[in-house]
Amino acid sequence: MDPVLLSRIQFGLTAGFHFIFPPLTLGLSLVILILEIIYYTSDSELYKKISTFMVKIMGLVFVMGVATGIVLEFSFGTNWSNYSRMVGDIFGAPLAAEGIFAFFMESVFLGILIFGRNRVSKRFYLLSVFLVFFASHLSGLWIIIANSWMQTPAGYTIEGGRAVLTNFYEAALNGSTIVRFLHTIIGGWITGTLFTAGVSSWYLLKERDTEAARPLLSLALWIFTATAIIQFVSGHSHSVQVAKTQPEKMAAFEALWQSRAGAPMSVIGIPDTAAKKTRFEIAVPKLLSIAIYFDPNATVQGLNEFQPDELPSVFISYLTYHGMIGLGSFFALLALIALILRFRNRLFDSRWYLWILVLATPLPFISNELGWMSAEIGRQPWAVYRVLKTIDAASVVVPAGQILFTIIMFSVIYLLLFAVFIKILVSIVKKGPDNVTLGYIGE
Amino acid sequence: MDTLQVLQIIWFFLIGILLAGYSVLDGFDLGIGILLPFMAKDKNDTVALFTAIGPVWDGNEVWLLTAGGALFAAFPHAYATVFSGFYLALMLVLFALIFRAVSLEFWSLDEPRRSFWKWAFAIGSLLPSLLFGVALGNVVEGIPLSDSMEFTGSFFTLLRPFPIAVGLTGLSAILVHGCTYAALKTEGPLHDRARLMGKRLWILFLIMLIISAIMSGLYLPGSLKSPLGWIGAAVVIISLVIGRVWMGRTNDKVPFLMTSLSFIGLWGIAGSYQFPHLVKAAGGSGLHLSIYNSSSSELTLTVMLTIAAIGMPMVLVYTVYAYRIFKGKVNL
């Protein structure tokens, strides 16, 4: 088998599995921060109890993120050694900075959150909560900086076949960093708040722990409502950025086979690359031109303008991108319903809606993964857009057989860990906020 | 000496400091991990040992992550050569670290499989403790390299006598360090057991040091003539002797400080012999990866130095502060 393809499969597997956890940590850290601010200002034991419960869950999620994140820090060297040689001058620094500025802080203060409630003052505990929130988001920023440089490289020059840094700020704050950071963070907040809403809805449906579940549901849904709607704005800005800086990626997202003025926005369909057409397509006329250029007659570049061997898979790009948008639209709908129910004072007793929230809990994880896949697969065949092809980025000394072996190992290990993670998560939720012990328990 | 060379030398030292920080800090929780099945006689012992390292082990592991990131940023060629060259060995370490990271939490919350998670933590701690030393021994002794900086050996190239001796030396240092920390943090029979194990493993550590020294003479030409190396060795020996003497007394702090110091001596020995090389080439080919031919640009090294100069003092301050919050014996 082709070692490059195997390394891509392995990276997709390990990064994709890792990416289940950090967005949830981001959202949970926000929820916990707000709960702790309420506890600090009101001295309400109820909020302390709820927050402790959420810290317990975040501790578990964080550990999964740590376990799966280590692999990624080293995988550029193990599987992508040519990539490391070619762009290490730029790509390594944000990874090191993530460790120094963010991950140390997140780990040390999460230790205080879990083990130090009775050892530090109320004020210091709140500070620790804030620093965990701050550091987890800062960590996300550095990773997005590294990843965005692969999408829209800047601040570098090519010397002797290697990319060499010429301007750190241009490289870090390249054309897509900020919008991609906001889009990812908001995705994390949607994930964490819908998760929290799902858990509290389950308590309300079971008519247990309602004293804790009501304020938690209300809080989670306020943030969810805001973020699910704001995500449309950030998603739109991100799409405009992609259309302007990586036009072939946008053409693949929309399966726009030919350049045209007044381009339609595809809503649903099945792209057929061989026939260069989208089957069963429903599209809104002129909307793509309006969305990108605020002009119904603007010309949008189609796939025909690019070298066929420099295009991503239109089929996968289209489906992942539209899948993400479909789920995002569903979240916005849920957000609007939450708003209506709240104003009618029916939020806590609309059982159908509570059931939807419970069942929708896994969906933001899927939309995160789809968004990430569309961003990374849509960049192919480039590892670094128009600088380094993926095929030239892989390690040359690692035999395919060894990569296949490690893919199997990662699959088995991650499957096992995920099963145990879910089992433990369910047991924490079933035990409920009344019976939480932070730290390790023997009995 | 121009600016670039100064930066390259500084980064050689900084990565050395990160690695030394990793061994001192994560070393004790790795050691406790390996010894857990033997040190803990019941659930309460396990909880006590887990609680001793629970608040800090993850922060300790970040030293490794940061060392990896810093190596990537400062010396990308060394990062690329070693990690792709040692692929299977490194993957073994990663599998171990994955299990290790989850097994404390899983032991606590997944009761039916407690003995599995206990052993997962032990083996997950054992493999990195052994294999990081083996990797170090390899880059010090030299590995077969092509003129495009690629490793040309196989998995079995890595298992030569000297690297294995270095691996076992590192492992025994970690074991003693785990014992001194466990003794520092626990009371009663568990404390006494940790101290007794420390005394016994101390002998193993001493034997491994002697073997490694003899092997250095055999496999590393000129290594026994380096004055800096002998200063490092003196630090190791003095700290070990003082640590051993205090293990027999009522104070638990001194032995822990001394085993910490011994790691710094060990890194001093390795660093002084290795400088300015990062990865030596075997067979006299002269194709070594040094700080001069493997580094990033002057600008990147400068940016990185700024990041480290701002970030690392902060890290040290709040890490020390966090250790102070959890100081003293664990009480459950």
Side-chain angles (χ1 to χ4, degrees), chain A residues 67-312:
Chain A
T68 53
I70 307 165
V71 176
L72 299 173
E73 184 90 17
F74 294 111
S75 62
F76 300 100
T78 54
N79 292 72
W80 305 99
S81 68
N82 267 346
Y83 176 87
S84 307
R85 293 183 203 282
M86 307 286 219
V87 302
D89 199 55
I90 295 144
F91 193 83
L95 295 192
E98 192 231 0
I100 292 173
F101 286 133
F103 202 44
F104 270 121
M105 191 185 273
E106 194 179 2
S107 303
V108 167
F109 288 96
L110 190 69
I112 294 174
L113 254 56
I114 295 174
F115 295 92
R117 173 78 94 174
N118 301 322
R119 288 172 176 264
V120 298
S121 68
K122 231 174 125 181
R123 183 188 296 245
F124 191 84
Y125 196 80
L126 180 62
L127 176 69
S128 304
V129 168
F130 171 75
L131 289 174
V132 168
F133 165 83
F134 172 76
S136 59
H137 287 72
L138 187 60
S139 165
L141 176 63
W142 286 108
I143 297 305
I144 295 287
I145 283 176
N147 182 246
S148 294
W149 189 82
M150 300 166 75
Q151 307 285 352
T152 50
Y156 71 100
T157 178
I158 301 289
E159 269 175 29
R162 290 180 66 201
V164 178
L165 186 68
T166 55
N167 185 321
F168 177 71
Y169 294 99
E170 279 177 24
L173 301 176
N174 61 68
S176 62
T177 298
I178 297 297
V179 66
R180 296 180 83 240
F181 175 65
L182 294 174
H183 193 59
T184 311
I185 293 303
I186 296 170
W189 290 4
I190 290 175
T191 310
T193 51
L194 190 54
F195 173 88
T196 308
V199 170
S200 15
S201 297
W202 186 77
Y203 289 139
L204 292 176
L205 286 166
K206 294 280 164 193
E207 290 168 11
R208 52 169 285 198
D209 295 295
T210 50
E211 189 203 15
R214 281 168 175 249
L216 191 57
L217 177 66
S218 170
L219 169 67
L221 280 182
W222 272 126
I223 311 172
F224 174 75
T225 304
T227 47
I229 293 166
I230 293 171
Q231 190 68 317
F232 264 84
V233 182
S234 92
H236 173 254
S237 320
H238 188 12
S239 297
V240 172
Q241 168 258 314
V242 169
K244 291 185 174 163
T245 58
Q246 296 166 283
E248 65 270 55
K249 190 174 176 178
M250 181 48 73
F253 283 165
E254 287 293 329
L256 188 69
W257 306 100
Q258 301 290 331
S259 298
R260 57 183 287 190
M265 186 182 281
S266 189
V267 177
I268 201 166
I270 300 169
D272 182 342
T273 309
K276 288 193 168 37
K277 61 188 276 192
T278 310
R279 299 186 190 281
F280 314 108
E281 187 181 34
I282 301 170
V284 182
K286 294 187 191 283
L287 189 57
L288 189 61
S289 292
I290 298 172
I292 299 172
Y293 298 103
F294 293 102
D295 172 2
N297 296 314
T299 304
V300 179
Q301 281 181 293
L303 292 160
N304 61 315
E305 291 196 27
F306 304 93
Q307 302 273 353
D309 60 348
E310 293 190 352
L311 286 176

Side-chain angles (χ1 to χ4, degrees), chain A residues 62 70 73-74 89 406 423 442, chain B residues 79 83 87 110 114 297 300:
Chain A
F62 184 73
I70 307 165
E73 184 90 17
F74 294 111
D89 199 55
T406 51
K423 187 211 142 198
Chain B
Y79 170 84
F83 287 18
Y87 185 82
D110 183 33
R114 278 206 163 154
S297 64
T300 295

Side-chain angles (χ1 to χ4, degrees), chain B residues 171-234:
Chain B
L171 173 64
S172 53
I174 284 170
L175 290 175
V176 180
H177 197 43
C179 291
T180 59
Y181 191 76
L184 178 67
K185 298 297 286 184
T186 57
E187 293 169 303
L190 178 58
H191 164 271
D192 299 342
R193 214 153 42 236
R195 192 178 259 204
L196 183 66
M197 279 185 176
K199 287 178 189 169
R200 290 185 181 156
L201 290 163
W202 184 91
I203 300 169
L204 176 72
F205 185 21
L206 196 68
I207 295 170
M208 282 319 304
L209 274 177
I210 296 167
I211 294 177
S212 286
I214 296 169
M215 283 207 172
S216 303
L218 291 173
Y219 291 98
L220 309 179
S223 61
L224 298 182
K225 288 177 193 146
S226 147
L228 277 173
W230 280 110
I231 294 174

